[in-house]
Amino acid sequence: MLSDPREVLTRPSPPPDATVSYGDHPDQCAELRLPAGDGPPRPLVVVVHGGFWRAEYDRAHTGPMAAALAALGHPVAQIEYRRTGRPGGGWPHTLTDVRAGIAALPALAAAALPGRVAPVPPILVGHSAGGHLSLYVAAHAPETVGGVLALAPVADLAQAYRLDLDEGAVTALLGGGPDDVPDRYAAADPSALVPIRTRTVVIHGDQDIQVPIAISRSWVAADHAAGGSATLIELPECEHFGLIAPGSTAWPQVVAALRSLHDDLQGIDAASSTR
């Protein structure tokens, strides 16, 4: 268990096996990691990092997580995107970058990692703001997403605005509050996009002070009320950063949820190939 949960944000990780670009901007890229072993092709896992969409947080802090998932046999992509605090970040490019990247990454990864990436939509593993972005993409482009594992997601932007999470992070992303830019909230807020038709698992710790667990509880309830089937796994005595820290007490739950999504996606692919 980490003595300081934030230690994972600066923990070193092995370098990626390849880097690909899905656009012309330097931040429109992804780092790829080969799966361990010599098994058959498997669905790509796309790690969408958090950091409240801010430029000071990039994909580097999810390196240990991505390396651990690759060690379990998954081909992994750590997607980068334009973030607030720099030109081009925020509305709409932060959101459209991730949507475009996720659509492009399976083919880019298959070319860079020949024989290791199955021809199916990827599983998204998004943490915090990355969880928000994963739900956003699944809502708007479900054909590009095979499953979502949302870890402590900012799943309700209007509520996050009211709570002033990370001192104005939602305002920096969307340019104002729900009364100021209602069309942006309607397009970007997962709470306005239910039900999510993609298989979705949400994991949240009950000791999270960065993103309160009440946000996940209310979002999953709203998804169910709209006819969705998202699953919520609440972890006792778990804070925000343990969800992305290999070796934490939360990590086995993350791995088990990803395995479940992977098995479901593999089953769908096998069934479709026999038709």
Side-chain angles (χ1 to χ4, degrees), residues 22 28 79-82 88 90-103 132-133 136-137 140 173 188:
Y22 62 87
Q28 293 173 323
I79 190 170
E80 193 55 271
Y81 50 90
R82 285 175 282 185
W91 176 270
H93 297 130
T94 294
L95 294 100
T96 56
D97 277 4
V98 177
R99 182 170 171 178
I102 286 168
H132 157 259
L133 292 168
Y136 163 83
V137 175
H140 283 281
L173 175 69

Side-chain angles (χ1 to χ4, degrees), residues 92-265:
H93 297 130
T94 294
L95 294 100
T96 56
D97 277 4
V98 177
R99 182 170 171 178
I102 286 168
L105 274 175
L108 292 171
L113 310 175
R116 306 312 307 271
V117 180
V120 296
I123 299 170
L124 311 185
V125 180
H127 177 240
S128 195
H132 157 259
L133 292 168
S134 299
L135 294 172
Y136 163 83
V137 175
H140 283 281
E143 71 282 358
T144 68
V145 180
V148 175
L149 177 53
L151 307 175
V154 189
D156 187 329
L157 296 185
Q159 180 67 353
Y161 169 82
R162 289 189 289 269
L163 294 172
D164 195 29
L165 295 190
D166 205 55
E167 301 180 340
V170 179
T171 297
L173 175 69
L174 296 184
D179 295 334
D180 305 315
V181 286
D183 291 349
R184 297 182 182 184
Y185 280 80
D189 192 341
S191 66
L193 301 173
V194 292
I196 299 292
R197 298 301 183 187
T198 303
R199 170 88 194 284
T200 300
V201 177
V202 178
I203 302 181
H204 213 127
D206 68 359
Q207 301 300 306
D208 195 324
I209 60 174
Q210 279 74 28
V211 181
I213 194 173
I215 287 181
S216 284
R217 288 171 177 163
S218 63
W219 183 82
V220 170
D223 182 73
H224 288 179
S229 59
T231 300
L232 174 60
I233 300 172
E234 299 189 17
L235 300 185
E237 303 301 318
C238 176
E239 45 66 59
H240 192 65
F241 301 101
L243 296 171
I244 61 169
S248 72
T249 57
W251 184 247
Q253 296 270 15
V254 173
V255 170
L258 176 59
R259 184 181 300 116
S260 174
L261 289 168
H262 170 271
D263 291 348
D264 282 356
L265 185 56

